[in-house]
Amino acid sequence: MATRMLEIFRLTIKNENGLFFATYSKKAVKSPLFWMILVYSIFLIRAMHEEDPMEVPYPPAQINFRTSRKYISSNYASSSRLGNHLFELASVLSISRELQRVPTFFIENCYHEKMWEDSNTLIPGLMNHFLIINGSVPSSVKRVKFHQKCCTFDDPSLLDNYEDEYLHLTGTHYQSWKYFSHMRNELIGYLKTTENTYMDLPKSGENTFITCVHVRRGDFLRVGFHVADENFIRSSLNLISRQVAKRANTATVFFGDDYEFMDSLRNRTSKINAFVSQNSPADDLLYAKSNCDVVLITAAHSTFGWWMGYFSKGNRVYYTDIQFTKDWILETGEFISEDYYLPHWTPLKYAGSDNFTVIQSFK
């Protein structure tokens, strides 16, 4: 029997389309490589179907109805990073004000807990506006389709006619400055006071001008979002220095997720006083608030770079014009530049397909 099981196994199925053969040879079955591939395939299949323990939903929250107020909550991309969280929370707060509802945050799983903790560490004043409820959104709460595309603006007045006591928006990300267009000073005021003295980084002052460069590469390279190459970044810095750096002393600080790449930039940019930050994301944003006279966002769709520019001291921002890149999000129809980038920010691009000088991209 065992010998027969190792013999050639042949399954033939006749159907209207012809014949299907599945053949396994005795030689293949005896091969160690065959069993390695089989075990690895089973592992991959199991991994694909295993649930992330951080995503396991908490039991439905116990909420009160027939209160004297109305509430609004939303889905959140809670497993994403800080930049995404800030877009979502600032937008939901602004929408709640327009609709005269209480902004509500359901802690639905472990990712929601981490989102709340990370956001509260950076910007506690914003989180203080939210009613925090432990548990998943109950089925009794009204779900409303709103903001189905990541990087566009939907008019909150579309929600005016809903009279339900609780509204839960099904969208995520809310990556548009138009949701909170008049809240910049307010949001900056909500940031915590940092205890970091930034001993290894320069300080902006009357005689010192600081250019902050945000670099995002790692996961963007894997998923196909645009990342700027070294030549683009260096050429952009040359343009910025000609336009805005007018003080006696200048310095450039690189922020990001690829330290080897940033070290290379620092070492190759010998004409400037350059530094690489190794602080936490929250401390990087707090540094920008007090020290970044100008910000260069090199990865066109980096939300963290976006907030570094938004919170920056100088409120002067340059960014890679996504319209002149091959970022795949442009093909989805989910990204509108005018909704994502603030109108006073400056887009940059190469002068031509064979001209690698960076110039301003006029809107």
Side-chain angles (χ1 to χ4, degrees):
M1 178 66 71
T3 302
R4 291 185 61 187
M5 289 178 66
L6 288 176
E7 292 294 332
I8 295 175
F9 175 82
R10 188 184 302 273
L11 174 64
T12 303
I13 301 176
K14 272 191 177 182
N15 56 37
E16 59 184 5
N17 295 321
L19 296 176
F20 168 78
F21 295 98
T23 304
Y24 300 89
S25 70
K26 178 179 179 180
K27 183 177 180 180
V29 172
K30 285 186 174 182
S31 168
L33 180 61
F34 170 83
W35 292 106
M36 289 174 61
I37 294 173
L38 179 62
V39 171
Y40 184 64
S41 299
I42 293 173
F43 172 80
L44 284 179
I45 292 171
R46 290 189 62 184
M48 290 172 62
H49 290 84
E50 284 181 359
E51 191 170 23
D52 183 346
M54 294 280 287
E55 290 183 340
V56 175
Y58 293 166
Q62 301 296 314
I63 59 176
N64 297 320
F65 284 89
R66 297 182 181 178
T67 67
S68 60
R69 310 178 76 181
K70 292 185 177 180
Y71 306 84
I72 189 165
S73 57
S74 177
N75 281 345
Y76 294 110
S78 58
S79 62
S80 297
R81 301 184 186 180
L82 186 58
N84 288 293
H85 301 339
L86 293 173
F87 268 114
E88 292 176 323
L89 294 165
S91 296
V92 171
L93 174 59
S94 180
I95 292 170
S96 74
R97 289 174 174 174
E98 183 164 339
L99 301 178
Q100 298 184 350
R101 289 176 173 269
V102 177
T104 305
F105 188 97
F106 285 92
I107 298 183
E108 300 197 73
N109 55 38
C110 290
Y111 279 125
H112 281 74
E113 283 195 40
K114 188 174 188 306
M115 174 180 174
W116 186 91
E117 291 169 358
D118 291 347
S119 302
N120 194 58
T121 296
L122 171 68
I123 190 164
L126 172 60
M127 301 310 296
N128 287 341
H129 285 281
F130 283 80
L131 172 64
I132 309 299
I133 299 179
N134 288 308
S136 299
V137 180
S139 59
S140 54
V141 168
K142 175 74 173 181
R143 268 76 168 174
V144 179
K145 285 187 177 181
F146 184 78
H147 191 88
Q148 299 301 296
K149 299 178 180 180
C150 79
C151 315
T152 62
F153 173 75
D154 288 355
D155 191 342
S157 66
L158 297 171
L159 304 170
D160 282 344
N161 294 329
Y162 288 95
E163 297 297 333
D164 304 76
E165 188 172 0
Y166 290 87
L167 286 185
H168 185 74
L169 307 180
T170 61
T172 58
H173 293 90
Y174 298 90
Q175 291 176 18
S176 174
W177 62 273
K178 294 181 179 179
Y179 284 117
F180 45 90
S181 59
H182 302 293
M183 292 178 61
R184 180 174 180 271
N185 290 336
E186 178 184 356
L187 291 172
I188 289 176
Y190 290 152
L191 293 169
K192 78 169 186 178
T193 301
T194 182
E195 297 178 358
N196 192 329
T197 58
Y198 303 104
M199 294 294 293
D200 297 327
L201 297 179
K203 308 298 189 297
S204 173
E206 183 177 350
N207 297 314
T208 303
F209 184 93
I210 297 180
T211 299
C212 295
V213 182
H214 182 260
V215 174
R216 178 80 174 266
R217 289 175 59 81
D219 58 330
F220 272 31
L221 288 170
R222 292 193 296 272
V223 302
F225 286 150
H226 174 77
V227 297
D229 58 34
E230 184 173 319
N231 180 76
F232 186 92
I233 297 172
R234 293 172 64 190
S235 185
S236 298
L237 288 173
N238 290 335
L239 180 148
I240 292 170
S241 67
R242 293 193 302 269
Q243 290 191 356
V244 301
K246 305 299 182 183
R247 298 174 205 169
N249 302 312
T250 61
T252 300
V253 183
F254 295 98
F255 305 83
D257 62 352
D258 191 330
Y259 292 105
E260 182 178 349
F261 181 80
M262 291 188 292
D263 270 335
S264 175
L265 280 170
R266 175 177 58 181
N267 295 334
R268 290 174 180 268
T269 319
S270 57
K271 293 183 180 180
I272 62 174
N273 193 22
F275 303 81
V276 174
S277 172
Q278 298 190 28
N279 293 295
S280 69
D283 278 337
D284 281 345
L285 291 179
L286 295 172
Y287 176 87
K289 170 193 169 185
S290 301
N291 295 286
C292 291
D293 294 297
V294 64
V295 171
L296 170 62
I297 304 171
T298 66
H301 190 209
S302 168
T303 56
F304 189 87
W306 192 100
W307 284 100
M308 178 167 283
Y310 186 83
F311 287 142
S312 65
K313 173 186 177 181
N315 193 24
R316 187 160 188 177
V317 179
Y318 292 78
Y319 64 92
T320 303
D321 191 338
I322 198 171
Q323 299 298 330
F324 293 89
T325 72
K326 296 181 179 179
D327 196 305
W328 64 265
I329 198 170
L330 296 174
E331 302 175 2
T332 68
E334 293 197 0
F335 189 97
I336 297 178
S337 291
E338 292 75 14
D339 289 352
Y340 184 76
Y341 302 109
L342 274 74
H344 69 279
W345 290 6
T346 304
L348 302 176
K349 66 174 184 177
Y350 276 131
S353 58
D354 57 353
N355 186 340
F356 298 117
T357 301
V358 170
I359 62 173
Q360 183 173 341
S361 173
F362 292 95
K363 303 175 184 178

